[in-house]
Amino acid sequence: ASAGFGMTTPATVAGKVFLIVYGLFGCAGTILFFNLFLERIISLLAFIMKACHERQLRRSGLLPPNFQRGSAISGVGSLVGWKPSVYHVMLILGIFAITLSCCASAMYTAVEGWNYIDSLYYCFVTFSTIGFGDLVSSQNAVYQNQGLYRFGNFVFILMGVCCIYSLFNVISIVIKQILNWVLKKFECRCCPKCHKSSARLGRRNAITPGARLRRHNISVETDGQYDSDTEGRRLSGEMISMRELTASNKVSLAILQKQLSETANGYPRNICINTRQNGFSAGVGALAIMNNRLAETSDSR
């Protein structure tokens, strides 16, 4: 589980080389296993929480008693696109992690002879894969029921690491939402400056036939001489070539190309809007799993 206590280390050159090669694939496989565990546990929690939400809606009368999931009436009510809250999932995972740590600490206190606080400290250091090595289990020469103890130690460490890994990813989503909230507060303070600068940039990139004629009262017959403030824009009476049109509207064409690509791939438009509003959305790996399975509640802060 990549805790790295350091009690057993390779001594030969061949062993160190083998450890490097094996560690590349072993750590990658471990991360893949943790992501798969995270996806399954989040899917299970989402299923249970959605069933509880349906039951609550049925009791309140918002859903009919004969409601079945996937039926045509599922569009009625608040079940369309419903996802569990990040905070509820964090609370459930936190309670499960605390319960697991308390049970494991009771076993370590009874078998290893540590006090309960040291056992809790060892559980957190081990489950979070920090691995200081000041406290290490299974280091005594003889244990009662040694095989059973080693099996229980393996199960507790495996489940604890998976649970803490999932909890850390949920906490990262909450930290992301707090950062988004702080960034929005900063954006609100500098809104007038941002609007002025964006308006200036928008006017410099736009082609506005007749704007120079209205502004400077220049006749149509004059040849277009470029200013520094218009950056090569032609007069209103002259023809605009396709090359100049595309050069002046690079940003618009890029946005249009992105929207066409997203439409071809089947992405809904609301996902694109949320992605532009939230600088930390989407992501890869565990962050993508959390964003797909859980509801983003940063806008409601």
Side-chain angles (χ1 to χ4, degrees), residues 108-143:
Y108 293 132
T109 301
V111 178
E112 297 289 346
W114 303 331
N115 59 53
Y116 198 75
I117 302 299
D118 288 341
S119 298
L120 285 174
Y121 163 77
Y122 168 77
C123 288
F124 177 78
V125 170
T126 303
F127 295 167
S128 60
T129 68
I130 297 175
F132 287 125
D134 50 350
L135 293 174
V136 182
S137 62
S138 301
Q139 295 300 309
N140 295 336
V142 179
Y143 289 97

Side-chain angles (χ1 to χ4, degrees), residues 23 28 37 40 42 60 69 80 84 107 113 115 140 142 146 161-162 165 174 176 215 218 227 234-235 270 290:
F37 179 86
R40 297 297 182 270
I42 293 300
S60 60
R69 191 175 299 174
V80 178
M107 182 187 71
N115 59 53
N140 295 336
V142 179
Q146 187 170 359
V161 171
C162 291
Y165 175 81
V174 176
K176 178 195 70 174
R215 224 182 286 167
I218 300 176
D227 294 331
R234 292 181 180 269
L235 295 176
N270 55 356
M290 305 296 293

Side-chain angles (χ1 to χ4, degrees), residues 38-50 293:
L38 173 65
E39 186 175 3
R40 297 297 182 270
I41 193 67
I42 293 300
S43 299
L44 177 62
L45 290 177
F47 178 79
I48 296 174
M49 294 176 70
K50 188 170 184 177
R293 295 292 193 279

Side-chain angles (χ1 to χ4, degrees), residues 16-292:
K16 294 176 181 178
V17 172
F18 174 77
L19 177 63
I20 293 174
V21 176
Y22 180 77
L24 290 174
F25 297 97
C27 291
T30 303
I31 293 174
L32 177 61
F33 174 77
F34 288 160
N35 286 332
L36 292 175
F37 179 86
L38 173 65
E39 186 175 3
R40 297 297 182 270
I41 193 67
I42 293 300
S43 299
L44 177 62
L45 290 177
F47 178 79
I48 296 174
M49 294 176 70
K50 188 170 184 177
C52 295
H53 183 67
E54 290 179 5
R55 189 175 182 180
Q56 183 178 3
L57 290 178
R58 192 178 290 110
R59 285 182 177 179
S60 60
L62 298 177
L63 287 179
N66 57 353
F67 171 76
Q68 293 181 357
R69 191 175 299 174
S71 60
I73 204 172
S74 61
V76 182
S78 59
L79 288 177
V80 178
W82 185 87
K83 293 181 180 180
S85 173
V86 176
Y87 305 107
H88 294 163
V89 175
M90 182 178 65
L91 178 63
I92 294 174
L93 287 175
I95 293 174
F96 184 73
I98 292 174
T99 304
L100 189 66
S101 299
C102 291
C103 295
S105 299
M107 182 187 71
Y108 293 132
T109 301
V111 178
E112 297 289 346
W114 303 331
N115 59 53
Y116 198 75
I117 302 299
D118 288 341
S119 298
L120 285 174
Y121 163 77
Y122 168 77
C123 288
F124 177 78
V125 170
T126 303
F127 295 167
S128 60
T129 68
I130 297 175
F132 287 125
D134 50 350
L135 293 174
V136 182
S137 62
S138 301
Q139 295 300 309
N140 295 336
V142 179
Y143 289 97
Q144 293 182 354
N145 302 321
Q146 187 170 359
L148 183 61
Y149 170 64
R150 288 181 176 177
F151 177 76
N153 191 18
F154 169 77
V155 171
F156 274 123
I157 291 178
L158 180 63
M159 295 299 297
V161 171
C162 291
C163 185
I164 292 295
Y165 175 81
S166 303
L167 181 61
F168 283 169
N169 280 282
V170 178
I171 294 175
S172 68
I173 297 292
V174 176
I175 295 175
K176 178 195 70 174
Q177 294 175 355
I178 295 174
L179 291 177
N180 285 330
W181 179 76
V182 173
L183 290 176
K184 286 181 180 179
K185 290 297 181 181
F186 280 112
E187 288 178 0
C188 291
R189 291 182 180 179
C190 63
C191 263
K193 298 180 181 178
C194 295
H195 287 321
K196 289 180 181 178
S197 60
S198 61
R200 290 176 182 175
L201 289 175
R203 292 182 65 181
R204 290 172 71 90
N205 289 330
I207 295 179
T208 55
R212 291 188 55 169
L213 184 61
R214 291 191 301 268
R215 224 182 286 167
H216 303 289
N217 294 325
I218 300 176
S219 63
V220 175
E221 288 81 6
T222 24
D223 293 333
Q225 295 179 355
Y226 299 148
D227 294 331
S228 60
D229 60 340
T230 55
E231 293 182 356
R233 289 182 294 173
R234 292 181 180 269
L235 295 176
S236 60
E238 293 182 307
M239 297 296 293
I240 299 172
S241 65
M242 183 59 67
R243 181 178 298 177
E244 291 170 344
L245 179 63
T246 55
S248 302
N249 293 276
K250 285 181 179 179
V251 178
S252 300
L253 290 176
I255 294 175
L256 178 61
Q257 183 179 4
K258 181 181 178 182
Q259 290 177 352
L260 289 175
S261 175
E262 290 170 347
T263 304
N265 292 326
Y267 297 139
R269 295 189 62 179
N270 55 356
I271 295 179
C272 305
I273 296 173
N274 293 333
T275 304
R276 284 193 290 270
Q277 292 176 353
N278 187 356
F280 294 91
S281 292
V284 295
L287 188 59
I289 295 173
M290 305 296 293
N291 284 327
N292 291 331

